[in-house]
Amino acid sequence: MTRPVRVLSLYEGFFAGGARILHSDVVAGLAAGGGQEHRVLSLTSAARRDASLQDARDDARFRALRAAGVTIDMFDRVAGDQPMTPESFSRAELEHAAAVIADADIVLSLKEQPLSLIVALDRAGMLPDRPTAACLHRSDPTHSGPALGWLVDAGASGAVSATISCAASTSHAYARAGVSTTHAWVIDNGIDTRRFRPGTRAERRRIRLGLGIPESAPVVMLAARFDAMKDPGLFLDTVARHSRRHPGSHYVLCGSGMTYGNPGFASLVAQAGIDASVPVHALGLREDMPALYRIADVVALTSAFGEASPLCLAEGAASGAIPVTTDVGDAARVVAGFGIVTPRDADAVCAAWQEALSHRPRLRSAAIAARGRLDRRRMIADYRGAIEGLVLPEVIAA
């Protein structure tokens, strides 16, 4: 009788972000599908990011994995205070990690940052012989800091034997950066279309009422953390232009640091010349994203670099919003047929928002029709195949 494949995922930590949302969804889906047992080792128990301190136990991904029966181990550290370099780990942490890895059949690293642990174990001669795959989620690896070097070195030494990229642009970018592994997969992102769905008129009215948004007002939404990669300044500059040319529109921002309590955000609002007459709803971190997408007419992405296959575009489209995005990573391919790609210029973005609003019935119908190709079930099946392809047949049958 075969036993389940034991899969260990390494997280830098639990905090808001698309890659964590996606990987946690994959882990929960694979665990629920049977044939695999999943465990997570987080290198930190809290994170200081985007002007906020986020405790792992408060994170929605942490709670969802626990609810799915996934065991989670954590080191008592804060992500963001100091880089987690290979020299950071104590002997006790290395011994614990080695034991956890030895108990697994395969290791998945969520992005390249947790590979500092793999490199540290390898240098200390403590790394168990297990296939390890780096799950990659950006299209500009140079912005991963020293972690890119860890991945290049680990690939060359064989400590990392595979990459799983969420976009073709990601796979190509890391190959150009010198990453070479025995195996390389590209698995497109998928979302839970049961959660991300169009709202009824009654739902939309109720959710808008709770935010003080009129039922008929156009709504443009940015779902992103406060980070230079996401270029919130470009979004706010566009809000300033759009609100002057098309008064009555409302603008919703949600994500870590997207709040007036963040001095950096407040400064960008002031620089854009946005005053209190412009209805900007800066909501910060939210756990009700499916509901918020349902009230959006446009889901915007103004990112400057680093994106691979942005989840917000798929989540918004599946909910009936029209994606308008800059040309980053695989974004243009993701929205092909139902979205708009715009240059990174506030006037151009403004015109693209209005084009989407002007053609909303047609584009909304196209977005809803694309829900099938955006669904997560295909993604989870592809991850299952990659994992089982890396694990030796005799381990599966042990």
Side-chain angles (χ1 to χ4, degrees):
M1 182 176 178
T2 61
R3 64 163 175 80
V5 176
R6 298 169 301 194
V7 184
L8 173 69
S9 286
L10 300 179
Y11 283 45
E12 181 186 8
F14 283 91
F15 41 83
R20 251 146 292 274
I21 292 170
L22 180 112
H23 193 90
S24 300
D25 198 29
V26 168
V27 169
L30 289 171
Q36 295 184 4
E37 291 180 355
H38 284 261
R39 183 173 184 175
V40 169
L41 173 60
S42 174
L43 306 191
T44 59
S45 57
R48 200 179 310 279
R49 279 167 55 97
D50 314 318
S52 64
L53 181 65
Q54 303 169 31
D55 188 277
R57 294 168 184 82
D58 295 332
D59 184 78
R61 276 60 58 184
F62 182 96
R63 297 197 301 268
L65 288 174
R66 277 281 176 86
V70 176
T71 299
I72 302 174
D73 296 287
M74 297 186 293
F75 292 156
D76 187 18
R77 293 174 173 270
V78 177
D81 281 351
Q82 296 291 333
M84 296 288 293
T85 67
E87 296 75 30
S88 300
F89 301 99
S90 67
R91 182 74 184 184
E93 288 171 334
L94 292 179
E95 290 175 350
H96 179 73
V100 172
I101 292 172
D103 196 43
D105 297 315
I106 183 173
V107 178
L108 304 180
S109 174
L110 171 52
K111 304 175 77 170
E112 57 270 46
Q113 283 75 14
L115 294 177
S116 58
L117 177 64
I118 297 296
V119 171
L121 289 167
D122 199 22
R123 291 176 180 173
M126 300 171 62
L127 181 64
D129 184 15
R130 299 291 185 272
T132 297
C135 302
L136 305 175
H137 296 274
R138 66 171 75 232
S139 62
D140 191 346
T142 61
H143 284 84
S144 62
L148 174 60
W150 305 333
L151 175 54
V152 170
D153 292 346
S157 71
V160 170
S161 49
T163 59
I164 302 175
S165 300
C166 72
S169 58
T170 298
S171 185
H172 296 326
Y174 278 87
R176 289 193 302 269
V179 175
S180 178
T181 56
T182 305
H183 305 278
W185 281 273
V186 175
I187 299 178
D188 285 341
N189 288 345
I191 61 168
D192 187 348
T193 54
R194 296 167 301 178
R195 295 183 65 230
F196 296 99
R197 58 169 178 80
T200 65
R201 184 170 182 178
E203 283 178 321
R204 286 167 56 85
R205 184 188 302 117
R206 174 181 54 79
I207 297 163
R208 284 179 172 230
L209 180 63
L211 295 172
I213 301 175
E215 183 179 357
S216 61
V219 172
V220 179
M221 177 172 154
L222 175 66
R225 68 183 185 275
F226 186 78
D227 186 276
M229 184 180 92
K230 305 294 184 179
D231 203 348
L234 175 57
F235 180 86
L236 292 168
D237 285 343
T238 307
V239 167
R241 287 163 170 77
H242 192 264
S243 62
R244 288 194 298 267
R245 299 169 190 174
H246 307 282
S249 299
H250 283 240
Y251 309 93
V252 175
L253 300 96
C254 21
S256 179
M258 292 294 196
T259 170
Y260 287 101
N262 174 8
F265 177 83
S267 176
L268 287 181
V269 171
Q271 289 175 34
I274 298 172
D275 60 29
S277 68
V278 180
V280 174
H281 306 264
L283 306 181
L285 272 173
R286 300 283 294 217
E287 300 297 347
D288 57 345
M289 291 306 301
L292 294 175
Y293 281 123
R294 286 174 203 146
I295 66 164
D297 298 300
V298 170
V299 58
L301 188 70
T302 51
S303 294
F305 59 85
E307 298 284 4
S309 180
L311 284 178
C312 64
L313 301 177
E315 291 168 347
S319 306
I322 301 156
V324 178
T325 179
T326 49
D327 190 7
V328 287
D330 278 25
R333 183 171 63 85
V334 171
V335 306
F338 56 81
I340 297 172
V341 181
T342 175
R344 290 193 61 256
D345 169 82
D347 286 319
V349 177
C350 179
W353 289 358
Q354 198 55 33
E355 180 186 353
L357 292 169
S358 299
H359 297 90
R360 186 169 187 274
R362 174 178 61 81
L363 291 171
R364 174 180 166 85
S365 295
I368 292 172
R371 284 167 49 82
R373 72 175 170 90
L374 302 174
D375 190 82
R376 70 198 279 266
R377 285 172 290 187
R378 178 267 317 150
M379 172 186 70
I380 290 171
D382 288 349
Y383 265 91
R384 182 180 296 278
I387 288 168
E388 293 180 353
L390 283 169
V391 177
L392 296 176
E394 57 265 30
V395 173
I396 296 176

